[in-house]
């Protein structure tokens, strides 16, 4: 099938990693005797890593500098991606199924490029992707559509025929505002409640096992 493309978020969408990202902030803070509030966690969720590191240093008192906080986060998460991260159940089979049906795909992520490459390779997605891009490549965040458009440029599709799969409500807002089609997969309430995701997406699934490649292409055809 031609004419459509799919862009996947990575963390929480293709791979089971958001727990590690949420825990690393709390763990580093706890080791320094700092307790993060729900307001802190909610604020950090929508930030880029440099923004989150600055927040943790300036608002919460973690680390000697924001650069120090960022280095601590990177050290913990690089080890996680290299040795522990796993694909979400059914995600690789879904990607393989779309590839077999001729659908071009890419990954667009807020994860730093070096960690992202390790993650996509470890979990088996790399052979099926036209591109794997990070917001770091463009010095932006997912509050702007640039990273999705960059990924889309490798697919040869326009926005109206490109689907973005995300687990984060704020990222779905960006996609919809830019004219992309949207599919949501639930991961946790911090990234987005089921209600929040459904309000922003063409459809919502709880697991990749809930959606076969053919069922997805039927949704595309119905439009």
């Amino acid at each position: 099938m031609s004419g459509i493309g799919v862009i996947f978020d990575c963390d929480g969408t293709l791979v089971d990693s958001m727990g590690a990202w949420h825990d690393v902030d709390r763990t580093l803070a706890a080791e320094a005797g700092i307790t993060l509030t729900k307001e802190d966690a909610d604020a950090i969720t929508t930030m880029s890593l440099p923004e989150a590191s600055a927040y943790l240093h300036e608002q919460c008192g973690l680390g000697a500098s924001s650069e120090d906080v960022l280095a601590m986060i990177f050290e913990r998460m690089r080890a996680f991606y290299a040795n522990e991260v796993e694909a979400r159940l059914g995600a690789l089979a879904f990607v393989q199924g779309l590839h077999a049906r001729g659908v071009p795909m890419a990954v667009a992520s807020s994860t730093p490029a070096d960690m992202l490459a390790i993650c996509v390779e470890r979990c088996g997605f790399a052979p099926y992707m036209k591109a794997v891009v990070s917001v770091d490549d463009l010095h932006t965040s997912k509050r702007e559509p640039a990273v999705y458009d960059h990924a889309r440029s490798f697919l040869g599709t326009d926005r109206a025929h490109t689907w973005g799969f995300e687990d984060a409500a704020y990222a779905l807002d960006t996609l919809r505002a830019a004219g992309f089609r949207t599919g949501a997969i639930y991961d946790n309430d911090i990234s987005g409640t089921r209600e929040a995701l459904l309000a922003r997406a063409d459809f919502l699934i709880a697991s990749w096992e809930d959606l076969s490649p053919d069922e997805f292409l039927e949704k595309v055809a119905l439009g």
Side-chain angles (χ1 to χ4, degrees):
M1 179 172 181
S2 62
I4 70 160
V6 178
I7 299 171
F8 296 96
D9 169 55
C10 187
D11 296 281
T13 299
L14 289 179
V15 304
D16 187 10
S17 57
M18 291 310 297
W21 278 108
H22 295 146
D23 287 345
V24 72
D25 297 334
R26 289 192 293 270
T27 299
L28 290 172
E31 289 173 358
I34 299 165
T35 300
L36 298 184
T37 67
K38 182 180 185 301
E39 289 72 22
D40 292 329
D42 289 345
I44 290 167
T45 296
T46 64
M47 294 178 182
S48 67
L49 283 173
E51 290 169 342
S53 298
Y55 181 95
L56 286 164
H57 173 64
E58 295 167 7
Q59 302 298 321
C60 305
L62 180 62
S65 66
S66 59
E67 292 79 11
D68 181 44
V69 175
L70 187 60
M72 291 190 290
I73 292 172
F74 280 2
E75 180 181 4
R76 299 291 178 94
M77 293 307 298
R78 282 194 183 97
F80 171 76
Y81 282 118
N83 303 304
E84 299 180 50
V85 69
E86 299 292 344
R88 288 194 63 170
L89 195 63
L92 184 57
F94 184 81
V95 166
Q96 290 170 330
L98 288 187
H99 181 265
R101 290 157 178 80
V103 177
M105 295 170 286
V107 171
S109 175
S110 296
T111 300
D114 62 332
M115 298 185 208
L116 181 60
I118 292 168
C119 177
V120 172
E121 182 68 35
R122 172 181 164 83
C123 293
F125 298 109
Y128 308 106
M129 298 298 166
K130 297 286 188 183
V132 177
V133 299
S134 166
V135 295
D136 284 359
D137 299 329
L138 304 172
H139 307 289
T140 186
S141 77
K142 284 189 172 180
R143 290 192 290 269
E144 302 292 335
V147 69
Y148 300 113
D149 281 328
H150 184 51
R152 181 176 59 82
S153 71
F154 293 91
L155 307 182
T157 54
D158 60 22
R159 287 179 172 181
H161 294 90
T162 306
W163 287 73
F165 279 99
E166 282 278 359
D167 69 303
Y170 84 98
L172 289 167
D173 282 337
T174 300
L175 284 163
R176 286 184 68 85
F180 288 85
R181 303 298 300 276
T182 52
I185 181 165
Y186 177 77
D187 185 50
N188 62 73
D189 282 356
I190 296 175
S191 297
T193 64
R194 288 177 172 84
E195 293 76 14
L197 296 177
L198 186 58
R200 292 161 169 81
D202 291 278
F203 63 87
L204 168 68
I205 57 174
S207 163
W208 289 111
E209 293 194 316
D210 296 339
L211 183 70
S212 73
D214 287 335
E215 287 170 338
F216 168 64
L217 294 177
E218 287 175 9
K219 291 179 181 293
V220 171
L222 291 173

